[in-house]
């Protein structure tokens, strides 16, 4: 099982400038490369200080010049916000800039906050249908002279310019949860990204079951890779474990409020939650965060990851967005490299 870093610029409240956050993200990716990580992933989000990522290709092209070996992935672009020609071209140029190190993660998106601003009236079903039309179109554009007549996009014969360095194209990863999404990925030659969010190890196993079922249903297709994404922090003491669980509880309560899209947002910041409001979200209580996320001292983290490796996951991505300080994130990553990764050599 290989390791990767899932990271964004983020602010839960005004504080470090965006320029400082940009430099901190760069430093974390460079640290991951020195530590032997396989990839770094940056996603797409709009109008949210909670996750500052309007176009991951900009970050990745910049990081391509600041790194040498680590693969650079979109984790993930939001399918309905992209025209196939635009996505194919921007991805190909990023692959050129990185000398063939690009991976492309694609998702339908999840926040109605974004849907109602970029495509009013869009829902999760419609977003998923756009994803299923987008991916085959992008694959064909990379081959060239492709004309498309679909439900959502139509265009005459077009060739992606430039062409990607990787042939036939960069690896594509589909963010999948329901069985139909797993089957779509397998039948279209795509790898799979999954996350249980804060649901715990039963969901980790269930997601792998859905993937295995899709692979078994299509023995004629090569088995793709599957990546597991989870919030992961290595701590130096029991006291730090408890503190991190409390901070991840606040992060997930905020995440839940963003997802509901009912709370005021001003200047890109969600109106802060009170302690009473967070207590009304028992599914994100600190004790559940400690149990369901990967938070612990090195030996505890190793044991959890060995179990995921045994399930068959090809890549494990450390999700470090959390509201924690840059210094805490960096220290956790250093502990992971020094104390956890040697157990997987």
């Amino acid at each position: 099982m290989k390791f990767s870093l899932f990271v964004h610029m983020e602010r839960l409240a005004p504080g470090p400038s965006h320029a400082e956050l940009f430099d901190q993200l760069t430093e974390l990716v460079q640290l991951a490369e020195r530590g032997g990580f396989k990839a770094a992933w940056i996603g797409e989000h709009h109008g949210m200080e909670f996750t500052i990522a309007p176009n991951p290709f900009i970050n990745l092209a910049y990081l391509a010049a600041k790194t040498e070996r680590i693969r650079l992935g979109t984790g993930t672009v939001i399918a309905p916000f992209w025209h196939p020609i635009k996505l194919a071209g921007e991805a190909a140029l990023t692959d050129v800039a990185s000398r063939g190190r690009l991976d492309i993660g694609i998702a339908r998106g999840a926040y109605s906050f974004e849907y109602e601003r970029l495509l009013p009236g869009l829902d999760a079903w419609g977003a998923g249908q756009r994803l299923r039309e987008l991916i085959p179109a992008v694959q064909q554009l990379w081959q060239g002279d492709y004309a498309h007549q679909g439900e959502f996009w139509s265009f005459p014969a077009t060739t992606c310019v430039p062409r990607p360095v990787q042939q036939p194209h960069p690896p594509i990863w589909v963010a999948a949860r329901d069985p139909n999404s797993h089957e779509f990925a397998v039948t279209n030659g795509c790898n799979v990204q999954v996350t249980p969010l804060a649901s715990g190890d039963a969901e980790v196993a269930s997601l792998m079951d859905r993937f295995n079922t899709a692979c078994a249903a299509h023995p004629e297709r090569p088995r793709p890779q599957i990546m597991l994404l989870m919030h992961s922090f290595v701590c130096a003491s029991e006291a730090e474990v408890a503190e991190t669980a409390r901070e991840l509880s606040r992060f997930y309560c905020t995440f839940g409020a963003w997802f509901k899209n009912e709370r005021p947002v001003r200047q890109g910041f969600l109106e802060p939650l009170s302690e009473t409001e967070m207590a009304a979200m028992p599914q994100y209580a600190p004790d559940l965060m400690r149990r369901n996320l990967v938070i612990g001292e090195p030996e505890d983290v190793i044991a959890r990851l060995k179990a995921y490796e045994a399930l068959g996951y090809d890549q494990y991505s450390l999700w470090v967005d959390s509201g924690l300080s840059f210094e805490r994130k960096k220290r956790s990553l250093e502990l992971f490299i020094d104390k956890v990764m040697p157990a997987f050599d």
Side-chain angles (χ1 to χ4, degrees):
M1 188 168 70
K2 304 299 183 182
F3 296 108
S4 62
L5 181 69
F6 190 88
V7 59
H8 296 89
M9 299 162 56
E10 59 163 346
R11 296 197 303 185
L12 300 186
S17 70
H18 291 141
E20 291 172 311
L21 294 174
F22 192 93
D23 289 343
Q24 290 171 359
L25 183 152
T26 301
E27 186 174 343
L28 290 174
V29 172
Q30 290 173 323
L31 174 58
E33 179 179 61
R34 292 194 301 271
F37 275 49
K38 173 76 172 180
W41 300 89
I42 299 173
E44 175 185 3
H45 289 289
H46 299 277
M48 307 165 65
E49 293 275 0
F50 185 65
T51 311
I52 306 163
N55 186 335
F57 292 117
I58 294 174
N59 297 79
L60 299 182
Y62 177 85
L63 289 167
K66 298 292 183 179
T67 58
E68 297 178 356
R69 300 173 306 279
I70 194 168
R71 294 193 64 82
L72 302 166
T74 62
T76 54
V77 294
I78 303 175
F81 300 161
W82 290 83
H83 188 285
I85 296 174
K86 183 174 174 62
L87 179 57
E90 292 200 25
L93 185 57
T94 307
D95 198 45
V96 171
S98 66
R99 302 299 189 266
R101 287 189 279 147
L102 179 68
D103 283 56
I104 303 175
I106 305 178
R108 70 181 186 184
Y111 290 112
S112 60
F113 175 87
E114 294 178 307
Y115 287 169
E116 69 184 11
R117 284 160 175 78
L118 276 77
L119 277 176
L122 182 67
D123 58 17
W125 170 259
Q129 295 305 106
R130 284 170 170 79
L131 180 146
R132 285 162 171 74
E133 183 175 326
L134 178 79
I135 289 176
V138 169
Q139 291 170 325
Q140 291 296 320
L141 284 162
W142 284 327
Q143 299 308 305
D145 290 333
Y146 171 68
H148 184 80
Q149 293 294 321
E151 180 180 357
F152 303 107
W153 299 282
S154 297
F155 49 85
T158 306
T159 299
C160 175
V161 179
R163 298 286 185 92
V165 171
Q166 299 176 86
Q167 291 297 319
H169 55 71
I172 298 176
W173 300 71
V174 174
R177 178 171 293 275
D178 64 84
N180 290 333
S181 297
H182 284 267
E183 184 165 358
F184 171 83
V186 171
T187 56
N188 283 272
C190 301
N191 299 320
V192 172
Q193 297 177 342
V194 297
T195 179
L197 295 175
S199 297
D201 286 354
E203 180 68 4
V204 172
S206 177
L207 288 165
M208 178 56 80
D209 287 343
R210 291 169 229 173
F211 175 73
N212 285 333
T213 298
C215 292
H218 296 279
E220 77 285 358
R221 304 293 301 182
R223 182 182 177 90
Q225 294 186 51
I226 181 169
M227 180 184 87
L228 174 62
L229 167 66
M230 290 185 70
H231 276 98
S232 310
F233 290 91
V234 186
C235 303
S237 66
E238 173 59 30
E240 188 179 355
V241 171
E243 181 182 2
T244 302
R246 288 192 296 270
E247 292 185 88
L248 266 293
S249 173
R250 178 177 294 277
F251 177 90
Y252 266 98
C253 287
T254 305
F255 171 83
W258 271 108
F259 192 81
K260 285 184 177 181
N261 193 27
E262 298 172 350
R263 199 170 186 84
V265 177
R266 298 183 179 86
Q267 298 296 317
F269 291 104
L270 190 77
E271 182 180 89
L273 295 162
S274 68
E275 295 295 330
T276 300
E277 288 171 316
M278 289 190 289
M281 303 182 197
Q283 70 274 30
Y284 301 135
D287 61 324
L288 290 179
M289 296 299 94
R290 180 170 181 171
R291 185 180 73 192
N292 291 346
L293 304 177
V294 179
I295 308 169
E297 296 180 63
E299 60 274 15
D300 300 320
V301 172
I302 290 170
R304 291 284 294 280
L305 300 190
K306 286 290 184 182
Y308 303 152
E309 185 178 51
L311 285 172
Y313 284 100
D314 300 291
Q315 187 177 142
Y316 182 86
S317 195
L318 282 71
W319 188 357
V320 298
D321 302 338
S322 55
L324 273 69
S325 69
F326 166 70
E327 290 74 21
R328 293 271 301 282
K329 294 175 185 178
K330 183 178 178 181
R331 184 169 70 246
S332 170
L333 187 54
E334 289 171 337
L335 283 170
F336 188 89
I337 292 167
D338 293 340
K339 303 295 185 181
V340 175
M341 287 183 68
F344 293 85
D345 286 344

